[in-house]
């Protein structure tokens, strides 16, 4: 499964930025929130760095870590890039002042491995800034799957309480939590599927192939229930966590 996700993101690297409207928004907002906690000298790592949205929002060179090879190629000119799995953090303990992660941890089942890895590499009083997605993300699409008795192939986004609980278990103090919902409009269900795929979110262990007839029916259902002026919308629930390592 892990390899499939890395491969899916690698394939998505070329078209990612043109389709990652919500992800770009999240990265920008996360850096804005984090600004009040960081200093200009801070040594920063971005995990699940993708094409470098976080890096482009910060006016200095930072470190990047991602397991998708083609994503790593995209950040090598922005700063040091490590191509690795952040569940097995290959970095020296107590070496960073801040770690960012935007739109990335939701792909990882073992959040405890991710959070304890980040905790170790942070210096005392260091910060971990997270933006991730909540359980109401793509809820409209999930409703359409259910209406058509289809097996769910969309990622099961976690409740904020579950993420919070794991962060605390790994030693973090949560300094701030914010959540918001964004509605994204798109022309039809095929474009929505393409977007979900291009941002790498199509990686699932279940296949997602529908007949033309079924797709038309799903689109009609979607438009009727969640459409406006000929377009369909999807909800993205965004969670921001500001966490501190303090013993
Ligand atoms: C949706 S993209 C987000 C990229 C970027 N942070 C942004 O804000 O646009 C998720 C990224 O996380 C990476 N990723 C997911 N799980 C990972 C893991 N366990 N180790 C390293 N990278 C991971 C993927 O390869 C992908 O590039």
């Amino acid at each position: 499964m892990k390899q499939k996700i890395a491969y899916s993101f690698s394939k998505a690297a070329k078209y990612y930025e043109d389709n990652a409207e919500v992800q770009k928004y999240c990265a920008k907002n996360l850096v804005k929130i984090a600004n009040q906690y960081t200093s200009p000298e801070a040594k920063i790592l971005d995990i699940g760095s993708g094409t470098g949205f976080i890096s482009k929002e910060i006016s200095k060179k930072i470190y990047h870590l991602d397991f998708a090879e083609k994503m790593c190629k995209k950040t090598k000119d922005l700063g040091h890039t490590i191509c690795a799995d952040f569940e097995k953090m290959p970095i020296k303990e107590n070496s960073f002042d801040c770690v960012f992660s935007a739109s990335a941890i939701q792909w990882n089942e073992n959040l405890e491995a991710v959070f304890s890895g980040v905790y170790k590499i942070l210096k005392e009083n260091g910060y971990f800034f997270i933006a991730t997605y909540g359980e109401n993300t793509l809820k409209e699409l999930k409703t359409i799957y259910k209406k058509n008795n289809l097996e769910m192939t969309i990622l099961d986004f976690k409740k904020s309480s579950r993420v919070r609980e794991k962060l605390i278990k790994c030693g973090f103090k949560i300094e701030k939590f914010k959540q918001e919902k964004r509605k994204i409009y798109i022309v039809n269900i095929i474009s929505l599927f393409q977007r979900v795929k291009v941002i790498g979110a199509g990686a699932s262990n279940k296949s997602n192939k529908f007949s033309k007839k079924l797709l038309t029916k799903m689109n009609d259902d979607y438009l009727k229930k969640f459409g406006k002026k000929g377009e369909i919308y999807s909800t993205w629930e965004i969670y921001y966590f500001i966490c501190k390592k303090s013993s």
Side-chain angles (χ1 to χ4, degrees):
M1 185 61 186
K2 262 281 178 68
Q3 266 176 329
K4 202 173 165 192
I5 297 173
Y7 177 70
S8 171
F9 275 112
S10 222
K11 248 173 75 180
K14 196 169 169 189
Y15 307 102
Y16 180 78
E17 292 205 345
D18 294 336
N19 288 278
E21 181 185 340
V22 188
Q23 290 69 16
K24 191 172 193 170
Y25 169 84
C26 279
K28 208 180 170 108
N29 238 358
L30 186 64
V31 173
K32 209 162 128 191
I33 299 172
N35 270 341
Q36 53 190 296
Y37 300 89
T38 53
S39 76
E41 304 80 43
K43 188 177 170 192
I44 300 172
L45 170 71
D46 177 16
I47 60 166
S49 43
T51 58
F53 277 157
I54 291 284
S55 207
K56 288 169 194 166
E57 292 298 323
I58 296 175
S59 54
K60 65 175 211 170
K61 291 221 170 190
I62 66 166
Y63 289 74
H64 312 88
L65 189 148
D66 202 291
F67 65 3
E69 223 181 296
K70 287 190 180 151
M71 288 292 193
C72 292
K73 282 191 183 141
K74 296 262 177 195
T75 49
K76 71 178 190 331
D77 295 333
L78 296 170
H80 192 74
T81 297
I82 305 154
C83 208
D85 181 351
F86 58 58
E87 273 189 31
K88 300 175 188 140
M89 206 68 86
I91 291 170
K92 212 168 88 213
E93 289 187 16
N94 302 310
S95 49
F96 281 92
D97 298 295
C98 302
V99 175
F100 280 80
S101 181
S103 308
I105 60 159
Q106 66 276 4
W107 303 109
N108 294 266
E109 271 311 306
N110 193 352
L111 285 184
E112 266 180 66
V114 179
F115 297 163
S116 56
V118 172
Y119 192 89
K120 275 188 198 147
I121 64 166
L122 275 174
K123 296 180 191 167
E124 185 65 18
N125 296 320
Y127 278 97
F128 183 22
F129 304 110
I130 307 169
T132 187
Y133 301 102
E135 55 180 336
N136 288 310
T137 301
L138 295 172
K139 63 178 182 184
E140 299 83 4
L141 189 56
K142 288 179 184 168
T143 305
I144 301 303
Y145 268 64
K146 262 194 203 131
K147 186 175 187 306
N148 287 281
N149 297 317
L150 296 166
E151 194 190 357
M152 205 59 72
T153 55
I154 304 157
L155 190 70
D156 209 7
F157 296 96
K158 293 176 183 63
K159 283 186 176 166
S160 62
S161 55
R162 174 112 190 268
V163 183
R164 173 187 290 270
E165 179 198 305
K166 301 278 178 204
L167 281 163
I168 292 170
K169 194 169 174 198
C170 293
F172 283 105
K173 188 173 161 243
I174 298 167
E175 297 252 307
K176 188 179 177 138
F177 170 70
K178 197 181 156 209
Q179 77 187 91
E180 64 171 319
K181 282 189 188 140
R182 264 184 99 76
K183 256 188 195 169
I184 300 294
Y185 286 83
I186 200 157
V187 64
N188 58 32
I189 204 164
I190 298 170
S191 304
L192 178 61
F193 279 135
Q194 270 164 358
R195 179 167 292 194
V196 167
K197 195 171 167 197
V198 166
I199 59 154
S204 155
N205 50 2
K206 294 160 199 154
S207 118
N208 199 4
K209 289 196 176 81
F210 303 126
S211 69
K212 211 171 162 184
K213 193 172 159 202
L214 179 56
L215 267 179
T216 308
K217 156 104 176 40
M218 286 168 81
N219 193 60
D220 290 346
D221 291 345
Y222 203 132
L223 204 52
K224 240 182 254 158
K225 213 165 163 48
F226 309 110
K228 212 173 172 184
K229 294 184 185 160
E231 287 197 315
I232 60 168
Y233 60 82
S234 58
T235 297
W236 293 75
E237 186 174 36
I238 311 165
Y239 298 154
Y240 302 95
F241 287 94
I242 307 299
C243 320
K244 192 173 183 183
K245 170 176 177 171
S246 60
S247 43

